[in-house]
Each structure stands twice: as structure tokens, then as C-alpha cells.
Amino acid sequence: MKLALVKLGGSVITFKDRPLAANTGAIDDISRVLAGLDMPLMVVHGGGSFGHHWSVQYDMHTRPAAYDPHGVAVVHESMLALNEIIVNSMIKAGANPYAIVPSAFTNGHDAVPAKIKQLYEMSKTVVPMTFGDVVYMGGRKYSILSGDSLMSIIAKVLRPSRVIFATNVDGIYRDMASKEVVKELRPGRAGAVEFSKVNGADVTGGMQRKVREAFKIASMGMDVVLVNGLHPERIAEAARGRVDGTVVRRYK
């Protein structure tokens, strides 16, 4: 489908070293760039110093469990608060964002394909925007569903023409010392890859999770791009097919 699916990383839209601190300058710059895109767009954003901060405080993870109900409420509310900041910024920039909680199109961690296909239809008139969140898993159990995981869930159903992860670095580095960017990765069979060293690239921490999801999406037959979202024009250029970052090549 002609669609740009963009993930705004928490390290781009928040200051992760300060609890509940939105990077409003970066958000406004990204909003202006996204408002200028002339193609259907869908946005997923991470939690950064909002949702991630509280999920750590309440010891909540992706593993379903009977977490503290107050923690569930606090994490969810923090994500709604961050989402509101981004939505308002995009409205001011002239875009038409439409916020959607992930539980509206998922069942726990599983896709509800018919609902996800509705998001594509919506993208012809507005910008569907969702986010990592705490989701209900049945009984007394809840779980964190990350924005990175949502990218794979959505991509599998919609098969967008552009899949873009906006992070706070220039792409995947060959090694952290030199900061040399790997321009292209051809992962082959993801299951056989040692993710801490991907074709000579240094992939650790939060970037490791993004690369896992990028490989998963690439295995579905879609190229995945990782760019520096603190240079918002790179997001727009990637949506137009010109990449200043790393491309993980499809290999299905």
C-alpha cells in the first residue's frame, strides 16, 4: 500500500534522562515536516520519559502479569498525555492527526486485521496516530505493548510502501567508537543472526529492539529505514525514497 508508517522513538520526542519531559522543539520540527508529506501517513510513537519512566517505577514488562492496577492506570495516562502533546503539535502544523489507542485494533499483542485495515482507509483523510501502551491480556493480567512491536503488527497487515524508524542516532553504527553508519543491511535469515553484531554492526540496548523489529518486518518483504529523527527532514526524505541512514533490506 502507498503508505508511510513512521515510528517516532521515545529518545527523539522526550528527554529520557528527565521524567515526563517532552522534547517539544523536536516534536514541533517533526510535525512541520510530516504535515508537508504528500502521501498517506500513519504514526506510531514510543513512551520515552513518560510511559517508560512509569513502567520502570511499577516494574511492568511485556510479559503478561497481574501488575499493580494503579501502575496500569498511571502508565496508560502518561502515554495519553504524551500523545496529546504530539497531536496538538501536529494540529498547529496543519496536519490532521487522529489518536487511536492500540487496544482499538489489537487483542492483547495480536492484530485485529479488519481494524488495522480501517486505519489505512482513515489515512486517506487523517493521520492515524497510535503509541506504545499497557494493554489488557485477560483475567487480571496486563502487558506493555511497545511502539516497536506495533510497527511489526501494523506492517504485517498493511504492507506499507515505506517503513521508517526515527531514532536519536544517524542509523545503525558499525561500531560505537567511530560512529560509522552502516548504510545497508541484508540480514538473510533473521533467526540465524546474532543481534549484538549484525553484519559487523554494533547493535545494543534500545537499538537492538528496533533492529529485531526491523528484521521481522524485512522478513515480511518490506525494506525498513532507520534515520535520525532529530534531523526531521531525513524522515521526509526517507518517505520519498531517499535515505540518509540505514536500510534493512527485505529478504522474503
Side-chain angles (χ1 to χ4, degrees), residues 114-191:
K115 293 293 186 181
I116 293 177
K117 289 174 183 177
Q118 285 181 357
L119 299 182
Y120 174 70
E121 294 303 319
M122 291 174 64
S123 74
K124 298 173 183 178
T125 51
V126 296
V127 179
M129 177 179 292
T130 191
F131 45 87
D133 199 3
V134 55
V135 295
Y136 180 59
M137 301 297 290
R140 297 181 59 84
K141 294 183 178 181
Y142 290 82
S143 170
I144 298 296
L145 177 58
S146 73
D148 293 333
S149 295
L150 283 169
M151 290 290 284
S152 294
I153 289 170
I154 295 169
K156 184 175 183 179
V157 176
L158 296 185
R159 304 188 61 80
S161 52
R162 300 282 185 258
V163 181
I164 303 164
F165 284 81
T167 73
N168 65 339
V169 293
D170 291 336
I172 298 173
Y173 293 141
R174 194 167 301 283
D175 65 78
M176 296 303 294
S178 70
K179 300 291 179 74
E180 178 188 354
V181 175
V182 178
K183 295 297 185 183
E184 184 176 285
L185 283 174
R186 294 182 177 275
R189 292 185 178 276

Side-chain angles (χ1 to χ4, degrees), residues 211-228:
V211 171
R212 283 185 185 277
E213 296 304 326
F215 278 22
K216 189 183 297 183
I217 296 168
S219 74
M220 302 173 197
M222 290 162 275
D223 288 348
V224 183
V225 176
L226 297 95
V227 299
N228 193 330

